[in-house]
């Protein structure tokens, strides 16, 4: 299953490393990534490949926890839902 992950927050050292490390621990593969810094704000979007049997809500909660640690907001959605929402 593919998923779309977004990260937004004040820029600081270690955001990409922290998010990538957590995804590796969860055995989630990063297929594509785009990131930019707008003034003092960091934004990143990732396309991920997850095992269809993974507990999506559990993954979401772990990512929210690492987001709190890093001081950023992390959101994850199933790619099909993301695509549908952005076609309207």
């Amino acid at each position: 299953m593919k998923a779309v992950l977004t990260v937004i927050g004040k820029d600081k050292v270690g955001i990409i490393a922290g998010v990538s490390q957590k995804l590796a621990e969860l055995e989630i593969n990063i297929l594509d990534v785009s990131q930019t810094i707008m003034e003092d704000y960091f934004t990143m979007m990732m396309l991920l490949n997850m095992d269809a049997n993974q507990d999506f809500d559990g993954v979401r909660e772990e990512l929210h926890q690492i987001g709190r640690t890093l001081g950023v907001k992390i959101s994850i959605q199933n790619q099909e839902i993301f695509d549908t929402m952005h076609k309207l």
Side-chain angles (χ1 to χ4, degrees):
M1 168 181 78
K2 290 185 181 170
V4 175
L5 179 135
T6 57
V7 180
I8 300 171
K10 275 289 223 192
D11 186 36
K12 67 179 186 178
V13 173
I15 297 171
I16 296 173
V19 173
S20 298
Q21 177 62 40
K22 178 51 74 175
L23 292 172
E25 290 171 11
L26 295 168
E27 297 186 9
I28 297 173
N29 192 36
I30 300 168
L31 299 175
D32 201 358
V33 61
S34 174
Q35 64 90 31
T36 191
I37 298 169
M38 297 169 44
E39 297 209 8
D40 292 336
Y41 293 94
F42 174 86
T43 62
M44 179 169 63
M45 184 176 229
M46 291 180 160
L47 180 61
L48 309 173
N49 191 32
M50 298 176 57
D51 184 335
N53 297 322
Q54 275 183 302
D55 174 17
F56 196 81
D57 289 333
V59 167
R60 178 181 287 128
E61 182 53 37
E62 290 211 39
L63 290 169
H64 283 182
Q65 287 177 11
I66 193 68
R68 284 191 291 275
T69 299
L70 295 170
V72 296
K73 181 177 187 317
I74 300 177
S75 300
I76 186 169
Q77 294 180 304
N78 181 308
Q79 182 191 20
E80 291 176 4
I81 294 170
F82 182 87
D83 289 345
T84 300
M85 286 176 47
H86 290 87
K87 285 182 183 176
L88 299 175

